[in-house]
Amino acid sequence: MRVRVANLRIRHAEDRYLEKVPGTGLLSDQGIVHGHEVAIDEARHLKRGAGKYAHVVLIPQPSDDPADPLNWPRWKKEACFWTLAFAASLDGALSPMVGPGYVLLAKQFNVSVDNVTSSFGFILLGLGIFMLAQNALAVKYGHRIVYLFSVSLMFISCIWCALSPNLASIRASRFFQGFGMSALQSLVASTLEQIYCVHERGSRSVIWSFSIMAGITLGPLICSYVIQNLSWEFGFWFVSIPLGLCVLMVFFFVPEVRLHLLPSLKRQGSDGGSMEKDMAASEVGSVDSSSPRPAPPTYLSQLKIWHGALSDESIWKIFLRPFPFLLSPVTYFLFLTHGMQTVWLSLVPLCSSTIFTLEYNFDAAQIGLTNLGGIVGIVLAMLVVGPLNDWGIVWISKRNGGIYEPEFRLAFMLSMLFGVFGYVGWAVGNDHHMPWIGAVACITMLNFSIVVSGSAAVTYLLDTHGTNALHILALSNFAKNMVLYGSTFFANGMVLSRGVKVSLLILGACQAFCWLASVPMYVFGKRVRSFLARHPHIFRGELSENDRLMHQADKE
């Protein structure tokens, strides 16, 4: 049988091994049947959303424990999320903020532009190396302490960089700055998976991507004026002020979300899983239903930084846990559509100083202003596609008999074509002496593309891998940052030797190739999820509470 979805011509390849594939679940109790019958009455005993989402079945099903992160009051969820979004925007700003001044810095230090780029690019080396380490620390000791360590290290290394007298000191400070940035580029996705249900994650992922891209775009814009009128050192002094505020915000508003802190919590269907798992988890959970429920933790108790070890496994075993996921096709899908797309876009601010100096003779302040196009793109993406992301999957699910498939998210991967048009349009327009406003419009399309498609790819990862999404995102970000760091050694040189047109056409071709990865993932994604479920000895990773319950039930 093939699942037919209205207005989508591409069909899923149904799995031949499992009747209920993890990730597939009942999302709406208002099914509009297309192709096969679905008993919507199965939603009668499942918890639903509130207000306009009253017809939406919650995936995963929250427990009755008020300490469950899914049951947090709205103000607590919002405070946690927006604090992390603010920190992510500062995280995004740190890497490219000095980009508009690379030509000036090359003259100041009497070295090549590529030398300056690679020196400040040490932040990418630190970011990639620590990506896997922070992943292990978060599993072993919790998210909260990792977030606090990360923002504190970003704050300290910013002051260090501002005081650096030479490129050697800059390299060292930027390396540790990358250590601090890693958590806000991967761990946030795992936090979203813990505190939000499936129908809420899409818009939150868009806002998270928007925050990072806003920092990447606004950082060079603001810093360009500082470099032009003061010095590059003042740029780091200025950004250390909001970073200091961010340390306080994380301390007061980002509590621990790991379920290991709540041993009595029984979460049903926490992998966004099937109706079969929901019912099984309910049966197993009923055994302990008579046990007294703990009182919700007080606000002051949640300010505790150190909770001890949250896992009995050794730190080295946890560190190696992501590597079996190299056998998962989703890992390569995420790397191509999210990771490598970020690489192509990150090369634009890295090379913008060279491109706009060659073509339009811009100074540092004018180069910074070109980032306004990126701001327009990410704002449009957040305002238009943010709400549409979650509403769209509910709308499609209703036309699929109420059944949700994570692959529905991948319809938004079509936005990657905006990136292709942006690179190619910029290359062709540049060859025809296009005015600078045309180049800025192309940058708008590039940023729109990455916010929409990047958030869709990450949300798809959360829906298919649940708690194990953290490991795959860490692998993807590690590889992405290694590629991006390597490109800092030759990116500007490539623009100078091959020219702007050829360089942009190469990026456009790479973007198109990466988009093609979303087509087989949409068609065969359900079979991939079945493959992962049928090989738990390989893709075990970190078991969710529901998986532990199911494993216990199987033994009995």
Side-chain angles (χ1 to χ4, degrees):
M1 181 192 302
R2 291 184 175 181
V3 179
R4 295 187 294 174
V5 182
N7 299 327
L8 289 181
R9 295 183 178 180
I10 300 178
R11 297 180 178 182
H12 288 291
E14 282 292 323
D15 182 61
R16 295 169 292 181
Y17 299 95
L18 297 179
E19 181 181 356
K20 300 294 184 181
V21 179
T24 300
L26 188 63
L27 184 62
S28 175
D29 60 5
Q30 300 176 1
I32 300 176
V33 179
H34 276 223
H36 65 286
E37 289 290 336
V38 176
I40 305 300
D41 287 342
E42 294 180 27
R44 285 182 302 174
H45 304 297
L46 298 177
K47 296 179 181 179
R48 300 177 177 85
K52 64 180 181 179
Y53 294 114
H55 65 288
V56 175
V57 177
L58 298 181
I59 303 176
Q61 288 279 290
S63 70
D64 294 326
D65 194 325
D68 186 345
L70 291 174
N71 290 328
W72 281 357
R74 185 175 181 85
W75 70 265
K76 189 175 179 180
K77 289 186 178 184
E78 296 297 329
C80 177
F81 172 74
W82 289 105
T83 296
L84 294 178
F86 175 62
S89 65
L90 297 175
D91 178 289
L94 284 178
S95 180
M97 59 183 287
V98 193
Y102 282 163
V103 174
L104 294 176
L105 286 168
K107 295 178 181 178
Q108 177 182 333
F109 290 107
N110 195 28
V111 294
S112 67
V113 175
D114 273 338
N115 197 332
V116 172
T117 303
S118 61
S119 295
F120 279 91
F122 258 66
I123 194 171
L124 302 171
L125 185 61
L127 179 58
I129 291 175
F130 197 65
M131 189 64 69
L132 298 176
Q134 63 85 25
N135 177 54
L137 292 173
V139 173
K140 181 71 174 179
Y141 301 110
H143 292 196
R144 175 173 168 79
I145 191 171
V146 174
Y147 282 133
L148 280 170
F149 172 77
S150 294
V151 293
S152 299
L153 191 56
M154 287 165 63
F155 172 68
I156 294 170
S157 58
C158 250
I159 297 176
W160 178 2
C161 195
L163 295 172
S164 296
N166 50 50
L167 287 179
S169 180
I170 288 173
R171 293 188 190 101
S173 63
R174 295 285 277 180
F175 183 76
F176 284 100
Q177 214 166 67
F179 276 22
M181 289 173 58
S182 59
L184 294 163
Q185 293 198 14
S186 65
L187 191 57
V188 175
S190 180
T191 302
L192 294 181
E193 189 267 338
Q194 295 285 356
I195 65 179
Y196 290 112
C197 294
V198 163
H199 71 282
E200 301 171 304
R201 294 173 186 167
S203 58
R204 300 294 172 163
S205 295
V206 170
I207 295 173
W208 174 42
S209 297
F210 166 82
S211 300
I212 295 177
M213 293 306 303
I216 292 175
T217 307
L218 284 176
L221 172 61
I222 297 173
C223 194
S224 63
Y225 282 96
V226 177
I227 295 173
Q228 188 76 19
N229 298 296
L230 296 172
S231 68
W232 65 269
E233 293 94 339
F234 272 97
F236 286 99
W237 284 117
F238 289 150
V239 80
S240 66
I241 297 173
L243 276 173
L245 175 63
C246 189
V247 174
L248 297 176
M249 292 176 65
V250 170
F251 177 78
F252 287 109
F253 299 126
V254 181
E256 182 55 60
V257 299
R258 291 290 307 280
L259 297 183
H260 302 73
L261 296 178
L262 308 170
S264 65
L265 186 59
K266 297 293 183 283
R267 181 184 285 192
Q268 303 170 10
S270 62
D271 62 348
S274 63
M275 291 176 284
E276 182 182 38
K277 284 192 174 184
D278 291 339
M279 292 184 289
S282 299
E283 293 172 1
V284 177
S286 64
V287 176
D288 299 328
S289 59
S290 59
S291 60
R293 296 172 183 167
T298 63
Y299 174 75
L300 291 179
S301 69
Q302 294 184 10
L303 295 181
K304 183 179 179 181
I305 298 177
W306 176 253
H307 296 278
L310 306 181
S311 174
D312 295 331
E313 291 185 272
S314 68
I315 191 70
W316 296 111
K317 189 174 181 180
I318 298 174
F319 178 80
L320 297 174
R321 185 183 289 175
F323 294 101
F325 289 93
L326 288 172
L327 299 176
S328 170
V330 180
T331 302
Y332 298 97
F333 163 75
L334 186 75
F335 174 66
L336 289 174
T337 58
H338 179 261
M340 293 308 294
Q341 185 180 192
T342 305
V343 171
W344 317 139
L345 184 61
S346 298
L347 290 178
V348 173
L350 286 177
C351 302
S352 61
S353 182
T354 301
I355 292 175
F356 285 100
T357 301
L358 285 175
E359 299 298 327
Y360 304 105
N361 198 29
F362 279 9
D363 57 28
Q366 291 171 316
I367 293 171
L369 283 172
T370 60
N371 289 280
L372 287 174
I375 290 292
V376 174
I378 60 178
V379 169
L380 285 175
M382 185 184 69
L383 295 179
V384 177
V385 185
L388 186 63
N389 198 320
D390 289 326
W391 176 87
I393 61 119
V394 175
W395 183 85
I396 297 174
S397 298
K398 288 171 64 177
R399 283 149 183 81
N400 192 41
I403 301 298
Y404 167 71
E405 304 280 2
E407 286 73 32
F408 295 164
R409 301 274 189 189
L410 302 184
F412 293 94
M413 300 306 295
L414 286 170
S415 62
M416 287 187 70
L417 296 178
F418 281 93
V420 177
F421 300 150
Y423 288 120
V424 175
W426 193 354
V428 175
N430 183 80
D431 198 44
H432 291 79
H433 307 290
M434 176 176 62
W436 63 267
I437 190 64
V440 172
C442 292
I443 293 176
T444 300
M445 288 191 284
L446 302 182
N447 283 269
F448 179 87
S449 167
I450 193 170
V451 171
V452 177
S453 60
S455 59
V458 171
T459 310
Y460 175 72
L461 173 67
L462 295 178
D463 291 351
T464 54
H465 282 75
T467 53
N468 292 323
L470 173 64
H471 306 307
I472 294 180
L473 198 57
L475 285 173
S476 175
N477 282 336
F478 169 78
K480 174 198 73 176
N481 285 292
M482 292 299 98
V483 173
L484 187 55
Y485 173 68
S487 66
T488 62
F489 289 93
F490 62 84
N492 282 285
M494 182 182 72
V495 175
L496 289 172
S497 61
R498 293 182 174 271
V500 175
K501 178 183 177 181
V502 174
S503 301
L504 291 173
L505 285 176
I506 292 174
L507 295 180
C510 292
Q511 176 87 353
F513 174 78
C514 291
W515 170 76
L516 290 175
S518 61
V519 178
M521 185 53 64
Y522 182 89
V523 177
F524 300 105
K526 194 166 187 176
R527 291 185 179 179
V528 169
R529 288 186 280 123
S530 172
F531 171 76
L532 299 176
R534 288 182 283 110
H535 297 83
H537 58 289
I538 300 177
F539 303 106
R540 184 184 72 86
E542 180 183 11
L543 291 178
S544 66
E545 185 67 20
N546 178 67
D547 292 334
R548 292 190 186 94
L549 292 171
M550 295 293 295
H551 185 63
Q552 179 183 350
D554 291 340
K555 283 186 176 180
E556 295 174 354

